[in-house]
Amino acid sequence: MASVNAPISKDYELKIVNTEVIVPTLLMQQHILPLSNLDLLIPPVSVHVFFCYKNPFPRTFASALSHLKTSLSKVLVSYYVFAGRLVTDSIGLPKVHCNNKGVRFTQAYAAAPLSQLNLYDPDESVQGKLVPLLSKPFQEDGIPVFAVQVIEFGCGGLVIGCTFDHRIADAYSANMFFTSWAKLSRNDSTASLNPSITRSILCPRDSPAHCAEINNMYVRHCSQEFSQENPHPPSLVSRIYYLDVKNIMDLQFNAKKDGKSNTKLEVFSAYLWKLLISTHKVKDTMNCKIGIVVDGRQHLREIGISANYFGNVLTLPFAESNAGYIKSKPLYWSAGLIHDAIKSAANEEHFQSLIDFVETTKPTPVLAKIYCGADDMESSGPAVLVSYGLSFPLYEVDFGWGKPTFVSYHFPWGAEAGYVMPTHSPVGDGSWIVYMHLPMEQLSAIETDPNRILLPITQDFLHLA
């Protein structure tokens, strides 16, 4: 296992050097792209991702910057939706005006070395620094949906930070874009997935009808407010942890029943669930939820959706139980609840029902219940959503100067539920990097666990020092 020391705790100043707009090399005919019913399930939140590259480069920073701009302009021809603007129609539904207005591209400089970044605490080192904010929504041509910031560090290192509007793309779609951008940047001639952006493929059935379980998972209106300008309440805190492959395997082995085991994600989620309800605030009678993001691409092939579909194809099933049961039952029991929740949604009928459900509620907003706080706070325990980033080839995003040293998502959203996203670590041995956005008391439960396996990410581990 890589050495894990106390995380560095230093601040650094960021200077904006230049801001410009990158437009597609080939301008597309302007048109309006309606959002699909699955896009409309996503609240107005931004998703951030940043790629860290360590010095030395085979080219100067100025050359690398020029290379990134040129390749970005080229990749926006296929991914033209990222160069568009979000607008609202006459009944209040968001749509994308594909108008070639382009992507804001910011150049910045930090005198500090990369080794000074406290990546364990992204609220300090990432938010408002490594990743850009989308422009304010009060603009004549609509709201930008994608932004890029490239930072040169005093040590010669470089960080590429990107932000996208979640209503336009899920993480799967964003990773298609990053992979294609990197291939164009390094003149890689191997085939990449050209995005399929047509939203009509996710149309409702002629007589929209939804199964009963949709009513248990989604609600027609939720009082929860989301904001892109201040996307997370101060009570929630972001952290990045390291999870060693041996501990992942041990969790899976210890959760076996009758020789059978759940997936690594199911077992990890069950382990996390137990930790989060161990705080003194959670009473045994409280009802607790854990949601798992399910991608529907492989379940909708019969209606014509393909692996290169660009947009949101997500559903958020959740398991629930009272805290007393979760605490007292073995790990395989909680993992089984999570497995059953995933299985209930991982099929074509579920996604088609969800599309139909949204159709019958327009223009009233629909949100997943895992997002929303319960009316009876006395009986409601913690809720957390676990996303799945383990299939994304984040460390293949090589723009021509080598693979990134470290990559992480940053998603400080405005829901009352916590958020957790595991991705593969740069070590490449099966260990994980785990981004978390949770209440402080839940993070304390993780960090004071006597059998603690989630450890702070450090510069020694990342070899950035």
Side-chain angles (χ1 to χ4, degrees):
M1 173 179 170
S3 61
V4 181
N5 299 329
I8 294 172
S9 180
K10 296 180 180 179
D11 200 1
Y12 65 98
E13 292 186 4
L14 191 72
K15 178 183 177 182
I16 302 299
V17 177
N18 184 52
T19 299
E20 58 187 294
V21 175
I22 306 297
V23 299
T25 304
L26 177 64
L27 300 183
M28 304 294 292
Q29 183 176 357
Q30 293 193 33
H31 63 280
I32 297 294
L33 179 71
L35 298 194
S36 77
N37 284 359
L38 297 184
D39 290 327
L40 294 175
L41 288 171
I42 306 296
V45 292
S46 298
V47 182
H48 310 285
V49 60
F50 61 96
F51 303 83
C52 301
Y53 299 87
K54 192 171 68 171
N55 193 48
F57 294 106
R59 62 184 79 221
T60 65
F61 177 76
S63 174
L65 199 66
S66 175
H67 207 60
L68 285 169
K69 293 176 187 177
T70 301
S71 54
L72 176 59
S73 182
K74 291 178 180 178
V75 78
L76 287 175
V77 174
S78 297
Y79 291 85
Y80 58 85
V81 67
F82 267 171
R85 297 292 184 266
L86 203 66
V87 296
T88 304
D89 67 13
S90 59
I91 61 172
L93 292 177
K95 301 176 182 291
V96 182
H97 186 192
C98 299
N99 55 8
N100 307 300
K101 289 294 183 178
V103 170
R104 193 179 80 234
F105 188 101
T106 302
Q107 175 189 350
Y109 176 77
L114 274 173
S115 58
Q116 190 168 309
L117 270 62
N118 179 12
L119 295 176
Y120 159 69
D121 183 358
D123 291 335
E124 173 192 285
S125 60
V126 177
Q127 182 71 18
K129 292 183 178 179
L130 291 190
V131 292
L133 295 177
L134 294 177
S135 298
K136 293 182 179 179
F138 306 105
Q139 300 196 11
E140 291 182 2
D141 56 0
I143 307 171
V145 298
F146 186 67
V148 178
Q149 180 173 271
V150 183
I151 308 169
E152 178 187 15
F153 281 82
C155 62
L158 178 149
V159 173
I160 301 172
C162 301
T163 300
F164 60 93
D165 192 309
H166 200 343
R167 291 171 289 182
I168 309 305
D170 54 20
Y172 181 99
S173 303
N175 277 276
M176 282 172 48
F177 170 83
F178 296 135
T179 302
S180 297
W181 182 13
K183 282 187 175 183
L184 273 173
S185 182
R186 64 178 188 267
N187 296 316
D188 187 338
S189 60
T190 59
S192 15
L193 287 175
N194 287 319
S196 170
I197 296 178
T198 305
R199 294 302 199 259
S200 59
I201 199 168
L202 293 176
C203 61
R205 291 173 285 202
D206 291 338
S207 300
H210 62 274
C211 54
E213 69 172 10
I214 299 295
N215 293 319
N216 297 325
M217 293 171 51
Y218 288 87
V219 61
R220 283 180 168 81
H221 178 267
C222 177
S223 61
Q224 176 68 52
E225 295 292 334
F226 292 85
S227 169
Q228 289 185 337
E229 294 300 307
N230 182 23
H232 63 97
S235 58
L236 270 63
V237 179
S238 294
R239 291 288 186 266
I240 300 179
Y241 297 106
Y242 167 75
L243 182 57
D244 185 76
V245 62
K246 181 181 183 302
N247 290 319
I248 298 169
M249 300 300 290
D250 286 346
L251 280 178
Q252 193 174 32
F253 180 80
N254 293 332
K256 282 186 176 181
K257 181 186 179 184
D258 300 329
K260 297 180 180 180
S261 178
N262 291 94
T263 67
K264 293 181 179 67
L265 183 70
E266 290 166 351
V267 173
F268 166 75
S269 300
Y271 162 79
L272 181 67
W273 204 12
K274 279 180 171 286
L275 276 179
L276 299 188
I277 66 167
S278 64
T279 69
H280 69 280
K281 292 184 178 181
V282 181
K283 301 175 183 177
D284 285 354
T285 54
M286 286 183 168
N287 189 53
C288 306
K289 299 184 180 72
I290 186 164
I292 306 292
V293 177
V294 174
D295 189 309
R297 284 169 176 81
Q298 64 176 316
H299 306 298
L300 291 173
R301 289 173 181 166
E302 288 192 11
I303 68 170
I305 198 167
S306 58
N308 63 336
Y309 178 80
F310 184 92
N312 287 284
V313 197
L314 305 177
T315 188
L316 308 180
F318 59 85
E320 61 181 327
S321 179
N322 69 59
Y325 276 117
I326 302 168
K327 291 175 184 177
S328 62
K329 296 286 187 179
L331 194 62
Y332 68 75
W333 183 85
S334 298
L337 290 183
I338 293 168
H339 173 84
D340 291 344
I342 294 171
K343 186 177 179 181
S344 71
N347 57 79
E348 180 184 345
E349 175 56 33
H350 172 88
F351 280 92
Q352 193 64 68
S353 285
L354 191 50
I355 293 168
D356 289 355
F357 178 66
V358 176
E359 186 68 20
T360 61
T361 65
K362 289 178 180 176
T364 303
V366 173
L367 284 172
K369 286 188 176 180
I370 192 75
Y371 290 152
C372 308
D375 294 331
D376 182 8
M377 299 306 294
E378 291 296 320
S379 63
S380 178
V384 63
L385 179 65
V386 180
S387 192
Y388 187 77
L390 296 167
S391 62
F392 302 148
L394 297 173
Y395 291 95
E396 299 302 315
V397 181
D398 174 3
F399 290 94
W401 46 77
K403 297 180 180 181
T405 304
F406 181 73
V407 185
S408 178
Y409 276 82
H410 179 59
F411 191 34
W413 66 344
E416 294 183 22
Y419 180 81
V420 173
M421 185 163 190
T423 57
H424 283 297
S425 84
V427 177
D429 63 350
S431 57
W432 294 359
I433 299 296
V434 185
Y435 169 80
M436 295 191 180
H437 185 64
L438 297 169
M440 193 66 230
E441 64 268 16
Q442 293 179 17
L443 293 170
S444 296
I446 291 171
E447 299 191 356
T448 58
D449 177 27
N451 301 311
R452 182 180 183 184
I453 60 175
L454 285 159
L455 303 174
I457 199 70
T458 69
Q459 304 301 320
D460 280 356
F461 169 74
L462 300 175
H463 305 294
L464 291 175

